Amino acid sequence: MTWNKILCNHKELQLFGTLNGGQSFRWTHHKEEDEWRGVFSKTAWRLKQTDDCLQYQVMGSIIDNPSDSKCKSMLQDYFRLSFNLGTYYHEWSEKDELFKSACQQFYGIRMLCQDPVENLFSFICSQNNHISRISSMVDKLCEHYGEKICFFDDYVYYSFPDVEKLAKPEVEAKLRELGFGYRAKFIQKSAAQIVEWGGKEWFKGLQDMKYKDARQELMKLFGIGPKVADCICLMSLNHLEAVPVDTHVYQIAAQNYLPHLRGKKNVTEKMYIEIGDYFRNMYGDLAGWAHTVLFCADLKKFQKKENDDCDAPKQKKKRKK
């Protein structure tokens, strides 16, 4: 199968940091082939890169016969390749010495443009959880409620389920059976709310709102707090000033920018807003993107990338037809 190409310097897109940094949980690195395999837009992809281009193949798709131009457009949108990242990195480095240091290794970190339904329910799974278990839960959602896309290299790829399927009353009990715990109720209840409010059209309305208004609307969903709401705003709704604040981001802020916050046991609502506003004042309209680079630099799994086997998600176990 031929590899298609999109011209893109590796300094403008780093697949490792972008696909392995906790934005999406549907990508797996295959070391022997030095490629990434994953799913977005109901299409299963193989990706790899050289110094000057992004290479891709479509393993399968529910979309009827996606043309090469359509696939290229999908990838350009997904990685937001219309943004000249080098320009922004230069601007952020001028404003912040910590960023200037971090970006030497964490160049080309892209803010993925994800489907809001998949993004929201993936981050419900992320609450009080670690990445391998989050990935497992997302896989279960897809396997039980998504559509089969294709069978490739002894593995079945599924699309992320439509919100209507997750809204059915019996979903909560099934997800509890599958090990989702309290998140099962959050998923079913919030899915039902989204369907009641208009489904995907409701999400489109959030894109047209101001950031803080969209965030407030998201927090009306069952089980959605400030951090998950900010993740959705940032990664799916084009509100790139949104700054999700978790323990990593709190530590970064307290140690490097806001020393009066050091030693706090919990991130209060007031602290959450203060940290987000600080980054927005420093970085501007793309504060959430800039903070993501610092977030990647802070993750322990990236600290020994060159020497450790933990530098990417473990390959998923092969699944029979």
Side-chain angles (χ1 to χ4, degrees):
M1 190 183 298
T2 303
W3 287 89
N4 299 294
K5 298 179 181 180
I6 298 175
L7 290 178
C8 181
N9 187 278
H10 73 285
K11 289 289 185 179
E12 282 289 310
L13 168 62
Q14 181 189 153
L15 289 180
F16 177 86
T18 301
L19 299 180
N20 196 26
Q23 293 187 58
S24 173
F25 307 98
R26 312 241 22 224
W27 292 95
T28 305
H29 186 233
H30 293 254
K31 288 187 177 182
E32 290 184 5
E33 298 86 357
D34 191 22
E35 67 182 54
W36 292 83
R37 297 177 190 173
V39 177
F40 75 90
S41 295
K42 299 188 176 183
T43 302
W45 306 81
R46 300 172 72 190
L47 303 178
K48 60 182 180 178
Q49 62 185 146
T50 63
D51 285 346
D52 60 359
C53 69
L54 170 65
Q55 298 180 307
Y56 66 93
Q57 290 181 0
V58 172
M59 294 184 283
S61 180
I62 295 174
I63 301 171
D64 291 334
N65 299 317
S67 63
D68 288 343
S69 61
K70 173 65 174 177
C71 290
K72 182 176 180 180
S73 178
M74 290 163 68
L75 283 165
Q76 288 172 327
D77 290 344
Y78 185 65
F79 286 110
R80 301 183 195 266
L81 294 182
S82 62
F83 286 81
N84 186 327
L85 198 51
T87 299
Y88 289 110
Y89 264 51
H90 177 73
E91 291 178 4
W92 299 333
S93 295
E94 291 290 306
K95 295 176 180 179
D96 181 15
E97 286 296 321
L98 182 62
F99 185 93
K100 188 175 183 178
S101 174
C103 75
Q104 298 303 309
Q105 179 180 350
F106 297 93
Y107 55 85
I109 303 297
R110 289 273 163 182
M111 180 52 57
L112 299 175
C113 184
Q114 301 184 62
D115 174 74
V117 172
E118 176 173 343
N119 194 214
L120 187 146
F121 292 103
S122 296
F123 274 90
I124 288 179
C125 294
S126 77
Q127 297 180 37
N128 300 310
N129 222 339
H130 53 81
I131 286 182
S132 62
R133 188 157 180 258
I134 301 165
S135 299
S136 175
M137 287 182 172
V138 172
D139 280 349
K140 288 176 183 177
L141 283 177
C142 298
E143 183 176 352
H144 287 273
Y145 298 104
E147 296 180 69
K148 180 180 175 181
I149 297 174
C150 66
F151 181 78
F152 184 87
D153 195 18
D154 293 336
Y155 189 80
V156 181
Y157 291 86
Y158 295 89
S159 67
F160 197 86
D162 294 331
V163 67
E164 290 80 7
K165 291 187 178 180
L166 297 177
K168 296 178 180 179
E170 62 270 20
V171 167
E172 180 184 346
K174 181 63 177 178
L175 292 182
R176 286 189 181 276
E177 180 186 318
L178 292 171
F180 281 68
Y182 66 86
R183 302 170 194 84
K185 187 173 184 178
F186 290 178
I187 290 170
Q188 191 278 320
K189 294 292 186 186
S190 58
Q193 286 176 289
I194 293 169
V195 171
E196 181 183 349
W197 296 342
K200 289 195 173 183
E201 290 302 314
W202 179 70
F203 281 113
K204 289 180 182 178
L206 299 184
Q207 288 182 322
D208 296 331
M209 292 181 181
K210 292 182 179 179
Y211 154 59
K212 290 186 177 179
D213 292 335
R215 180 177 182 268
Q216 200 61 38
E217 288 299 306
L218 284 165
M219 290 173 63
K220 293 178 182 178
L221 291 171
F222 194 88
I224 301 297
K227 186 241 179 180
V228 172
D230 273 329
C231 287
I232 311 313
C233 283
L234 174 63
M235 302 174 189
S236 300
L237 302 179
N238 292 321
H239 296 300
L240 297 176
E241 69 269 44
V243 178
V245 179
D246 63 2
T247 55
H248 289 287
V249 177
Y250 159 70
Q251 291 292 341
I252 293 168
Q255 294 301 317
N256 299 283
Y257 306 106
L258 301 168
H260 63 282
L261 297 182
R262 292 175 186 170
K264 306 295 184 182
K265 292 184 178 180
N266 298 299
V267 178
T268 65
E269 182 180 357
K270 182 180 179 181
M271 290 165 57
Y272 190 104
I273 294 171
E274 181 180 0
I275 293 169
D277 285 346
Y278 184 90
F279 283 116
R280 280 184 281 273
N281 289 332
M282 179 163 57
Y283 292 128
D285 291 342
L286 273 67
W289 195 326
H291 116 284
T292 298
V293 179
L294 299 181
F295 178 84
C296 285
D298 188 65
L299 291 180
K300 288 184 179 179
K301 67 178 176 180
F302 288 127
Q303 302 299 321
K304 299 179 181 180
K305 172 185 172 184
E306 295 182 356
N307 300 317
D308 286 355
D309 289 333
C310 62
D311 63 349
K314 294 180 180 179
Q315 294 186 27
K316 297 171 183 176
K317 294 180 180 179
K318 292 185 178 181
R319 186 179 297 161
K320 297 180 180 179
K321 286 185 181 180

